[in-house]
Amino acid sequence: MKPLHVVILAAGQGSRMKSSLPKVLHRIAGKPMLHHVMDTARKLGAERIHGVIGHGADQVKAITQAEDVQWAMQEQQLGTGHAVAQALANLPDNGCVLILYGDVPLTRASTLQQLVSRVTDQTIGLLTVTLDDPTGYGRILRDDQGAVIRIVEHKDATPDQRAITEVNTGILAVSARHLKTWIPELSNANAQGEYYLTDIIAMASKAGVGIEVTQPDIGFEVQGVNNRLQLAGLERWYQQQQAERLMSEGATLADPARVDVRGDLTVGQDVLIDINVVFEGKVALDSGVSVGPNCVLRNCHIGADSSIDACSVIDGATVGQHARIGPFARLRPGTELADHTRVGNFVETKKTVVGEGSKISHLSYVGDALLGKNVNVGAGTITCNYDGVNKYRTSIGDGVFVGSNTSLVAPVSLSENATIGAGSTITRDVAEAELAVARGKQRNIAGWQRPAKQK
Ligand code: UD1
Ligand code: CA
């Protein structure tokens, strides 16, 4: 096998996007289209990825730097053949070259693998598709034996040729040696005055190099994005595939059209996902987990049989088994909840470890804290962890009971089985099994006269 070099054309402006962002940086499932293409190239085992960039090159480079990516600048967009020419010097003679496009993001690796496997010194691989309406595309011309002999661009085609419905996807694979012979021979004597990459097909045919055609399983694989409508169309197809995968792995989706996966989501069996849930980054839901409507889960692991109730946001957290989160909970990065924990409505946690069986049921902020087992944190408890400059830690031992509306002014430590009276502002450590009450004493004044309005 020849070492694989993938050339990705991404120099075009994409003016129909009406955007200051280069087209290939527009996202599908939260990831720039160009990164989808690059990740596919990596799945194929590409030795190097050659990005041909022009419009917005600095922006593209800034978010796409990687060890295996080499850039080639195309200052002026003089055609797809001219674009490939810019990367030509960086391709090793013994390589197999796969041409992809930064705005054709969802081609399956399996389809491309098939294409690449066809490449030898006597054959090249061409990906075509048959369309009901081929308008605008390059048409595939075949001889009497059915062998591909040429591609003719729509604008150069005769009416007879325009009737052909098999079209060029633009994606092809060819040995670097051939490419280096043919690309310099391209001419721009055509309707658009461009150097067409597609003209190498006729050169191959003349040189006796066979053109082996592969077709994708489904048209979406070779669908390019020229405007935001097409972007949305591909997003929906991508999400539909994700939904189908989740269901095949044992998840019930309340509505497969109302779940969005923007990253890697793994699910165990009997996972239940209600409507309008967004998953971002790396998320794992173990068996029996249920996620209520309108939740956002990002970079988190939820243990078996736990439930995340409606409208909760979980980010950078790990949750044990049989935990109950929400509704309306927010777990921020560094939250680690053990088994059988409870974090209820309007509770925010950050960099906080919560031991087994502990509960923070209502209206609290708990940050930079360590909670033992079977702790009960009452409604309205705040860890005052920040003095405007530094952050301090709160430590709460096993079995502690924190009464409602308590401020814990960190650094502070509550030892095992301590009790904090409701409404306290705790500034000093509390020893094991002590009761701490820190609030104004109540006075009752009999016969109190309210101020009265003068008549
Ligand atoms: C090209 C093919 C056509 C095929 C169609 C599929 C050629 C000559 N024609 O036509 O047979 O049916 O794709 O969509 O190849 N690009 C550059 N630099 C350039 C020109 C293009 O980077 O100088 C990039 C564009 O950003 C775009 C891609 O190459 O992502 C395709 O270019 P485009 O001009 O859209 O080619 P088509 O005319 O659609
Ligand atoms: Ca195009």
Side-chain angles (χ1 to χ4, degrees):
M1 269 289 280
K2 296 167 177 286
L4 180 65
H5 284 252
V6 175
V7 175
I8 303 177
L9 305 195
Q13 181 165 23
S15 50
R16 278 176 283 168
M17 296 299 283
K18 309 248 163 74
S19 175
S20 60
L21 193 68
K23 177 163 76 172
V24 297
L25 297 187
H26 281 262
R27 289 164 191 264
I28 288 192
K31 186 161 84 174
M33 289 195 281
L34 180 59
H35 294 193
H36 280 274
V37 181
M38 288 182 166
D39 287 347
T40 307
R42 289 177 182 124
K43 272 195 211 159
L44 295 168
E47 185 174 278
R48 222 154 223 301
I49 295 170
H50 305 265
V52 180
I53 49 178
H55 283 284
D58 291 340
Q59 261 175 294
V60 174
K61 277 193 207 168
I63 75 155
T64 312
Q65 275 323 350
E67 283 249 309
D68 57 352
V69 175
Q70 186 164 10
W71 301 110
M73 269 302 283
Q74 189 193 24
E75 303 284 354
Q76 268 187 298
Q77 278 70 59
L78 304 179
T80 50
H82 180 259
V84 172
Q86 309 314 306
L88 217 53
N90 300 332
L91 304 172
D93 289 347
N94 68 337
C96 168
V97 182
L98 173 64
I99 310 286
L100 300 177
Y101 300 82
D103 58 0
V104 183
L106 299 182
T107 319
R108 287 180 181 149
S110 53
T111 300
L112 297 173
Q113 190 60 61
Q114 228 183 88
L115 189 72
V116 164
S117 72
R118 302 292 177 80
V119 175
T120 67
D121 281 331
Q122 288 80 47
T123 50
I124 74 178
L126 180 66
L127 192 65
T128 75
V129 68
T130 303
L131 299 176
D132 292 338
D133 178 10
T135 307
Y137 291 92
R139 306 301 206 280
I140 306 297
L141 306 192
R142 293 173 180 267
D143 67 13
D144 301 342
Q145 271 74 54
V148 174
I149 50 168
R150 186 154 86 89
I151 295 175
V152 59
E153 290 304 302
H154 181 91
K155 285 183 180 151
D156 300 292
T158 64
D160 277 359
Q161 290 167 336
R162 285 184 183 183
I164 296 170
T165 54
E166 185 187 8
V167 305
N168 175 33
T169 64
I171 294 172
L172 60 88
V174 52
S175 76
R177 194 169 291 124
H178 285 320
L179 204 59
K180 287 184 176 197
T181 311
W182 297 330
I183 291 285
E185 290 175 9
L186 293 176
S187 125
N188 65 353
N190 53 52
Q192 301 182 76
E194 286 182 5
Y195 296 91
Y196 293 162
L197 173 63
T198 44
D199 284 349
I200 70 167
I201 298 300
M203 294 177 184
S205 175
K206 282 205 188 88
V209 172
I211 291 125
E212 304 254 328
V213 165
T214 297
Q215 293 209 326
D217 295 333
I218 178 162
F220 285 114
E221 283 193 67
V222 293
Q223 169 88 61
V225 170
N226 293 311
N227 55 44
R228 292 180 199 247
L229 186 67
Q230 290 170 332
L231 185 72
L234 280 190
E235 175 79 35
R236 280 308 104 205
W237 178 61
Y238 180 92
Q239 295 302 342
Q240 184 195 325
Q241 285 180 290
Q242 292 294 318
E244 285 171 13
R245 173 184 66 83
L246 294 172
M247 291 187 286
S248 75
E249 289 171 0
T252 294
L253 305 182
D255 182 353
R258 282 183 291 173
V259 56
D260 279 47
V261 180
R262 301 174 190 156
D264 300 318
L265 171 62
T266 60
V267 293
Q269 289 190 7
D270 299 311
V271 160
L272 209 83
I273 300 173
D274 213 320
I275 59 166
N276 296 335
V277 178
V278 177
F279 297 95
E280 296 178 350
K282 222 172 148 55
V283 175
L285 307 178
D286 291 350
S287 293
V289 165
S290 74
V291 182
N294 305 319
C295 290
V296 178
L297 280 73
R298 180 183 307 124
N299 297 319
C300 60
H301 182 160
I302 313 297
D305 299 312
S306 288
S307 67
I308 313 297
D309 293 343
C311 304
S312 295
V313 177
I314 300 187
D315 181 8
T318 60
V319 174
Q321 305 185 0
H322 296 280
R324 283 195 54 206
I325 313 299
F328 297 98
R330 181 174 181 211
L331 309 187
R332 290 169 52 202
T335 298
E336 291 174 35
L337 308 181
D339 297 348
H340 298 282
T341 46
R342 163 107 185 91
V343 172
N345 42 209
F346 308 108
V347 172
E348 174 183 351
T349 63
K350 184 215 75 172
K351 281 192 187 154
T352 285
V353 176
V354 178
E356 193 170 337
S358 292
K359 298 189 174 89
I360 314 168
S361 295
H362 335 264
L363 295 154
S364 292
Y365 170 66
V366 181
D368 300 305
L370 175 63
L371 278 66
K373 295 178 184 169
N374 300 314
V375 170
N376 195 315
V377 175
T381 297
I382 308 291
T383 53
C384 309
N385 61 331
Y386 185 51
D387 63 9
V389 181
N390 300 299
K391 299 260 167 74
Y392 299 99
R393 300 187 55 81
T394 299
S395 157
I396 304 180
D398 293 350
V400 166
F401 183 97
V402 180
S404 297
N405 195 28
T406 291
S407 302
L408 301 169
V409 182
V412 72
S413 163
L414 315 180
S415 293
E416 272 178 41
N417 297 314
T419 303
I420 310 299
S424 292
T425 298
I426 299 296
T427 55
R428 285 189 293 124
D429 290 356
V430 181
E432 193 174 329
E434 276 184 346
L435 166 67
V437 187
R439 61 180 184 237
K441 252 203 158 55
Q442 181 170 334
R443 282 195 301 157
N444 292 7
I445 297 167
W448 178 252
Q449 292 292 315
R450 293 188 195 162
K453 272 215 172 90
Q454 298 291 343
K455 295 236 167 79

